[in-house]
């Protein structure tokens, strides 16, 4: 009989604690030293952590409702961001942008400034964590280069950890995407083509100045007002139903409250407006509606039959965006 060869044990890798295990490819050996693939070892917990949906990712950020609007409703806008402890060395500014050319997650410009794209697909269920990871990598990117998408570490920081909670959040809505380039004449052909396509598709949009997080937009058939509101959904729907049943939910002649979106944990009522009604025309009616809404929100009496029917109609016309 043939002699059995003595079995030799492979060199054992040092065992790492759970908090020390870095994120690697799913099929790569797990860095913890177990000998198993990452996806069958520590990758299981990491995958669960990064896919668990955070219902209200922008909660506790300054301007939460505007974050939602810029993520879901506004084509072209920018906001200067303020960081805790100030800007990193070599980064003169950080600007949030609704979208960037070629759908880049972020861009480090030639002068070192950073543009962070908001309207991108994210790899986890927490948009805030994905954006924070992209922002941190943008600080380390070479000037003049975009930042590529990746899966954010499950234990990485969120925007709430990086941004100054007392810093202003003041969106600037643009007619087009010229803010992409500092020097349009020297833009690459790819960026120029992307800019032309984006400008052609942008819906004219304006932010109202008299109320928070309300955005007028123009479409070929009619205009709309989409107003992101922070109030608890059930309380807000009750208040809107009271106003609707009383015939006071509109914003002037020819306008109509048609329903609402549900997006990132907040509610976005939507009004149809006549095509001739512009953003300036709706400023005063919106401010007056805000006063009526505040009174309705303060009412806790049971809904009347007419108010319940109005609420049912509003609920049936509600669409979830996220």
């Amino acid at each position: 009989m043939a002699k059995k060869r003595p079995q030799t044990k492979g060199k054992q890798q040092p065992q790492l604690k759970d908090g020390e295990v870095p994120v690697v490819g799913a099929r790569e050996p797990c860095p913890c030293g177990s000998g198993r693939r990452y996806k069958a070892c520590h990758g299981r917990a990491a995958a669960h952590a990064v896919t668990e949906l955070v219902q209200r990712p922008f909660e506790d950020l300054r301007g939460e409702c505007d974050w939602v609007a810029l993520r879901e409703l506004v084509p072209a806008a920018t906001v200067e961001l303020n960081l805790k402890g100030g800007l990193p060395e070599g980064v003169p500014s950080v600007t949030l942008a609704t979208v960037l050319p070629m759908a880049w997650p972020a861009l480090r410009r030639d002068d070192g400034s950073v543009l962070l794209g908001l309207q991108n697909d994210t790899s986890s269920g927490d948009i805030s964590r994905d954006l924070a990871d992209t922002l941190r990598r943008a600080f380390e990117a070479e000037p003049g280069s975009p930042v590529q998408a990746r899966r954010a570490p499950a234990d990485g920081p969120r925007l709430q950890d990086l941004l100054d909670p007392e810093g202003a959040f003041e969106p600037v809505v643009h007619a087009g995407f010229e803010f992409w380039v500092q020097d349009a004449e020297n833009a690459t052909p790819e960026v120029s083509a992307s800019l032309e396509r984006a400008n052609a598709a942008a819906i004219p949009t304006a932010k109202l100045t008299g109320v928070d997080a309300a955005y007028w937009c123009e479409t070929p058939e009619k205009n709309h007002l989409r107003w992101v509101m922070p109030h608890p959904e059930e309380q807000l729907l009750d208040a809107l139903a009271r106003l609707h049943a009383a015939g006071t939910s509109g914003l002037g002649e020819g306008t109509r409250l048609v329903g609402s979106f549900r997006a990132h944990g907040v509610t976005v009522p939507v009004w149809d407006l006549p095509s001739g009604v512009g953003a300036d025309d709706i400023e005063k009616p919106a401010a007056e509606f805000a006063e009526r809404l505040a009174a309705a929100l303060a009412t806790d009496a049971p809904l009347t039959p007419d108010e319940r029917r109005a609420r049912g109609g509003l609920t049936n016309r509600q669409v979830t965006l996220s």
Side-chain angles (χ1 to χ4, degrees):
M1 296 179 64
K3 293 183 179 179
K4 293 183 178 180
R5 293 183 178 179
Q7 296 182 349
T8 58
K9 295 183 179 181
K11 184 178 180 181
Q12 295 292 320
Q13 297 184 20
Q15 294 289 321
L16 300 177
K17 298 179 181 179
D18 287 352
E20 300 174 344
V21 179
V23 176
V24 298
R27 293 181 174 274
E28 296 181 37
C30 186
C32 76
S34 66
R36 291 179 291 173
R37 289 181 176 177
Y38 179 70
K39 69 176 184 179
C41 191
H42 281 82
R44 287 179 175 177
H48 175 74
V50 299
T51 56
E52 186 175 355
L53 180 63
V54 175
Q55 297 288 346
R56 198 167 173 175
F58 306 117
E59 187 174 16
D60 297 328
L61 287 177
R62 188 77 174 267
E64 177 190 8
C65 291
D66 284 309
W67 278 91
V68 173
L70 269 55
R71 167 76 183 184
E72 299 295 341
L73 306 174
V74 181
T78 56
V79 186
E80 294 299 314
L81 297 181
N82 300 280
L83 275 63
K84 291 180 179 178
L87 295 169
E89 185 177 357
V91 179
S93 64
V94 176
T95 303
L96 179 72
T98 47
V99 67
L100 296 178
M102 277 76 77
W104 290 329
L107 170 66
R108 183 88 183 272
R109 284 175 157 167
D110 291 334
D111 66 353
S113 61
V114 168
L115 288 177
L116 176 66
L118 181 57
Q119 295 179 12
N120 291 308
D121 293 333
T122 55
S123 58
S124 81
D126 187 353
I127 298 171
S128 178
R129 194 179 308 280
D130 289 328
L131 289 170
D133 178 68
T134 300
L135 182 57
R136 294 179 75 192
R137 290 187 293 122
F139 294 152
E140 301 172 356
E142 290 294 326
S145 62
V147 176
Q148 302 302 324
R150 77 164 189 181
R151 182 177 61 190
D155 59 350
R158 307 176 73 236
L159 288 173
Q160 288 82 347
D161 302 315
L162 301 183
L163 300 184
D164 182 357
E166 302 301 325
F169 191 84
E170 300 174 352
V172 177
V173 178
H174 303 275
F177 296 87
E178 281 73 19
F179 62 85
W180 282 354
V181 290
Q182 294 174 303
D183 184 1
E185 294 183 357
N186 295 322
T188 65
E190 294 82 1
V191 170
S192 296
S194 183
L195 177 61
E196 184 176 352
R197 290 192 300 270
N199 282 345
I203 296 174
T205 302
K207 185 180 187 299
L208 299 194
T209 60
V211 294
D212 292 334
Y215 291 82
W216 169 93
C217 69
E218 179 182 23
T219 61
E221 295 183 357
K222 62 184 68 175
N223 298 342
H224 305 280
L225 183 73
R226 299 175 291 188
W227 193 339
V228 188
M229 297 184 174
H231 316 292
E233 181 179 338
E234 297 302 314
Q235 181 187 7
L236 177 58
L237 289 175
D238 281 352
L240 292 173
R242 296 182 196 278
L243 297 178
H244 203 61
T248 58
S249 63
L251 299 173
E253 184 178 355
T255 68
R256 185 166 69 97
L257 175 64
V258 293
S260 62
F261 298 120
R262 181 190 294 116
H264 306 294
V266 296
T267 305
V268 189
V270 179
W271 285 261
D272 280 351
L273 312 174
S275 58
V277 174
D280 291 340
D281 300 322
I282 214 68
E283 287 279 7
K284 183 178 178 181
E288 293 170 346
F289 176 84
E291 294 180 357
R292 298 196 298 273
L293 179 63
L297 287 167
T299 302
D300 57 4
L303 296 179
T304 66
D306 286 345
E307 291 169 348
R308 287 198 298 271
R309 283 191 290 271
R311 193 186 195 283
L314 291 172
T315 303
N316 290 338
R317 296 192 297 273
Q318 191 173 48
V319 176
T320 299
L321 297 183
S322 59

